Amino acid sequence: MSTTTTAKSVLEMAQKKGAQMVDVKFVDTFGIWQHFTLPISELTEEAFTEGLGFDGSSIRGWKSIEASDMLAMPDPSTAFIDPFCRVPTLSITCTVAETGTKEIYSRDPRGIAQRAEKYLQSTGIADAAYFGPEAEFFIFDSVQYDQKVNSAFYNVDSEEGIWNSGRGDTPNLGYKIRHKEGYFPVPPSDALQDIRTEMCLVMEQLGVQVERQHHEVATAGQAEIDIRFDTLVKTADNMMVYKYVLKNVAKKYGKTVTLMPKPLFGDNGSGMHTHMSLWKKGKPLFAGNEYAGLSQLALYYIGGVLKHARALCAICSPTTNSYKRLVPGYEAPVNLAYSSRNRSAGIRIPTYSENPKTKRIEYRPPDPSANPYLAFAAMMLAGLDGIINKIDPGEPLDKNIYELPPEELKQVPSVPGSLGEALDCLEKDHEFLLKGDVFTMDFLDMWIASKRKEHDALRLRPHPYEFFLYYDV
């Protein structure tokens, strides 16, 4: 629905569609939708301003039990009829607020993104930041995993997987996609065309504009669906709908979707290359006469993103699994340089069109395990810091970075090698995130502590491959 949607028009739409229930959704710290459901009669116009109460003490990283009352503030612009509910149900996304004051909760990711947009406007630099994420994901037929004190395993499977070429099932029709050859053969090798198309159509039905869909490079169900750019909060809202649709359409087909960045060894991982641009009074600010048709302002923005890129990884590549993808020597964008068209650089300047309105930068390290509200806000704050402090991004790197001699490659900074290292970088470099009270130290301390627990949880457990390497020492 449009951003001019009102509470009254939402209620009228719900009545027209015969909605019997309302599903109240909000995003938790780590980017997962949470929800509770009410009879439609409980959603009044007053609820949009007064909020809907819930207990925040059970949400990871939020309230303690003695101060757990919170308010979900419905945003009319996010309303749609949920296509996956058997009973007609109105879905609506909320920002989370404190009871009493109705101030936006400082740890609410959507509230952080909203403060980021307000901060942008307060600088006078621009009045809108646009984001266009290119998220990749895997569609599997099954997944199994377990971790015990004396054992650990995982197993994923896909009808497309090259490892199934010798499977004894009848019939085995072949058409398996070889490693790194999934970009992009037609059916029957691509067995997931219809599923991806249905995902696109459902997204469009819910107001998320799709630009394209296709199989991705890896064997075994890797896919990409690109959605059209929009403003920061709106794009993050759309990414939550995106993930919801992927998982539920896949379930309808008896399949499962994961957005973890590296579920397969020895084949491509899933990234979320993110296109960014700033606009003011309807005019693009990144177009100019500098390198690759960029403006000086855009180069400063790049300078800020590159300066803070290692700290950004703690938010934009926020899982231990992210660093199985961000490995030097492979296709992942680990090199913190910028270049026109060059996909081996961390920042690429697309050159598909000469139209100034299409001028943007593409930041390639993020992956879809990130909370989009936090990731987009953090990226924008890094770029704004570059503009405000006129940070020179240095010279572009127009060579194939993967083929640079070792002495030249040493001069190119790279992303952290682990989540722990990324958190170290964030601890040292976070002042840019505090501008405009967008992020708070309370939030960052909580984030770092929570993510260190994840890092330590993996660090402390034996890995199955270690038995292969070391059992006979």
Side-chain angles (χ1 to χ4, degrees):
M1 301 185 76
S2 74
T3 54
T4 57
T5 307
T6 64
K8 183 179 180 180
S9 64
V10 167
L11 295 174
E12 290 172 349
M13 182 268 286
Q15 184 178 25
K16 182 179 179 181
K17 299 290 186 180
Q20 299 177 43
M21 305 294 286
V22 55
D23 200 49
V24 179
K25 295 183 175 74
F26 60 92
V27 67
D28 73 8
T29 306
F30 305 103
I32 297 175
W33 249 355
Q34 308 291 331
H35 78 137
F36 57 92
T37 309
L38 309 168
I40 195 68
S41 59
E42 292 293 309
L43 186 67
T44 62
E45 286 191 54
E46 290 73 24
F48 287 81
T49 53
E50 294 299 315
L52 299 162
F54 72 98
D55 174 9
S57 64
S58 296
I59 305 299
R60 293 180 298 167
W62 281 18
K63 293 279 191 175
S64 56
I65 196 165
E66 75 278 4
S68 59
D69 287 353
M70 309 193 80
L71 291 172
M73 310 298 293
D75 183 340
S77 71
T78 65
F80 60 81
I81 299 298
D82 193 310
F84 304 110
C85 292
R86 184 177 62 83
V87 172
T89 299
L90 178 74
S91 173
I92 195 157
T93 298
C94 299
T95 303
V96 176
E98 301 279 9
T99 56
T101 64
K102 294 190 176 67
E103 290 184 6
I104 300 303
Y105 180 43
S106 64
R107 293 187 180 184
D108 173 44
R110 195 168 191 266
I112 288 172
Q114 289 172 332
R115 290 196 296 275
E117 288 190 320
K118 289 179 181 177
Y119 172 65
L120 170 66
Q121 292 158 7
S122 76
T123 65
I125 293 169
D127 51 34
Y130 286 97
F131 290 80
E134 296 179 354
E136 299 163 341
F137 55 95
F138 280 85
I139 304 171
F140 290 128
D141 292 317
S142 66
V143 56
Q144 298 169 292
Y145 53 89
D146 200 3
Q147 173 75 54
K148 299 177 181 177
V149 67
N150 65 323
S151 66
F153 84 98
Y154 71 89
N155 184 283
V156 294
D157 203 7
S158 164
E159 63 179 311
E160 291 184 344
I162 188 63
W163 56 79
N164 280 322
S165 60
R167 192 178 64 194
D169 297 359
T170 303
N172 184 342
L173 302 179
Y175 302 117
K176 309 303 180 188
I177 295 177
R178 289 179 287 272
H179 289 295
K180 298 183 181 294
E181 292 188 20
Y183 194 85
F184 20 55
V186 299
S189 295
D190 177 0
L192 302 169
Q193 169 74 4
D194 290 339
I195 297 178
R196 295 194 309 269
T197 292
E198 183 165 337
M199 291 170 174
C200 293
L201 294 177
V202 174
M203 286 185 212
E204 294 256 331
Q205 173 190 331
L206 303 184
V208 179
Q209 187 174 349
V210 173
E211 291 192 333
R212 68 183 63 190
Q213 62 96 337
H214 57 81
H215 205 288
E216 256 299 339
V217 173
T219 183
Q222 192 180 33
E224 179 177 320
I225 298 176
D226 299 338
I227 61 175
R228 189 163 179 80
F229 67 88
D230 212 317
T231 52
L232 193 159
V233 173
K234 183 61 178 173
T235 303
D237 286 344
N238 286 344
M239 280 305 300
M240 299 309 297
V241 174
Y242 179 100
K243 294 182 179 184
Y244 185 65
V245 169
L246 296 186
K247 294 174 182 178
N248 281 283
V249 169
K251 183 174 182 291
K252 173 184 170 182
Y253 282 82
K255 298 182 184 291
T256 177
V257 159
T258 182
L259 291 105
M260 67 183 290
K262 190 71 173 179
L264 296 181
F265 167 69
D267 214 327
N268 283 40
S270 294
M272 186 176 70
H273 307 153
T274 302
H275 297 252
M276 295 182 274
S277 64
L278 296 181
W279 288 58
K280 188 173 184 179
K281 296 180 179 178
K283 294 184 179 181
L285 300 182
F286 276 13
N289 299 314
E290 303 295 328
Y291 174 78
L294 294 174
S295 63
Q296 183 62 59
L297 180 139
L299 290 174
Y300 288 146
Y301 190 101
I302 290 172
V305 172
L306 290 177
K307 177 182 177 181
H308 300 299
R310 288 172 60 80
L312 285 175
C313 282
I315 295 173
C316 300
S317 304
T319 66
T320 57
N321 188 251
S322 299
Y323 300 88
K324 305 290 196 298
R325 166 183 171 256
L326 294 175
V327 177
Y330 295 89
E331 290 189 33
V334 299
N335 303 292
L336 298 177
Y338 73 102
S339 181
S340 171
R341 297 180 294 179
N342 190 343
R343 284 177 165 79
S344 66
I347 293 181
R348 184 179 77 97
I349 297 94
T351 56
Y352 295 122
S353 171
E354 297 299 319
N355 187 338
K357 292 183 177 181
T358 67
K359 189 55 65 177
R360 61 198 187 275
I361 70 167
E362 178 191 9
Y363 186 50
R364 295 174 66 80
D367 68 59
S369 69
N371 182 329
Y373 298 96
L374 304 180
F376 300 157
M379 285 185 259
M380 187 190 73
L381 289 170
L384 289 178
D385 188 60
I387 294 171
I388 291 168
N389 293 296
K390 298 183 177 180
I391 297 174
D392 185 350
E395 292 299 315
L397 193 57
D398 287 329
K399 302 176 182 179
N400 184 338
I401 299 175
Y402 302 127
E403 296 179 358
L404 286 180
E407 59 275 13
E408 284 190 54
L409 190 59
K410 285 181 181 179
Q411 307 304 314
V412 182
S414 63
V415 300
S418 69
L419 178 60
E421 188 181 339
L423 294 169
D424 291 341
C425 294
L426 181 60
E427 284 186 325
K428 296 173 185 175
D429 178 21
H430 57 258
E431 290 297 324
F432 70 100
L433 296 172
L434 303 178
K435 299 292 178 63
D437 296 323
V438 176
F439 289 82
T440 63
M441 277 311 304
D442 170 71
F443 178 89
L444 293 176
D445 287 342
M446 176 276 297
W447 180 265
I448 290 168
S450 297
K451 288 295 173 179
R452 285 212 185 278
K453 287 181 181 178
E454 292 179 25
H455 176 74
D456 288 345
L458 199 73
R459 183 172 61 86
L460 294 171
R461 284 168 168 78
H463 189 284
Y465 195 65
E466 290 176 311
F467 283 79
F468 178 84
L469 293 174
Y470 307 128
Y471 188 77
D472 60 346
V473 295

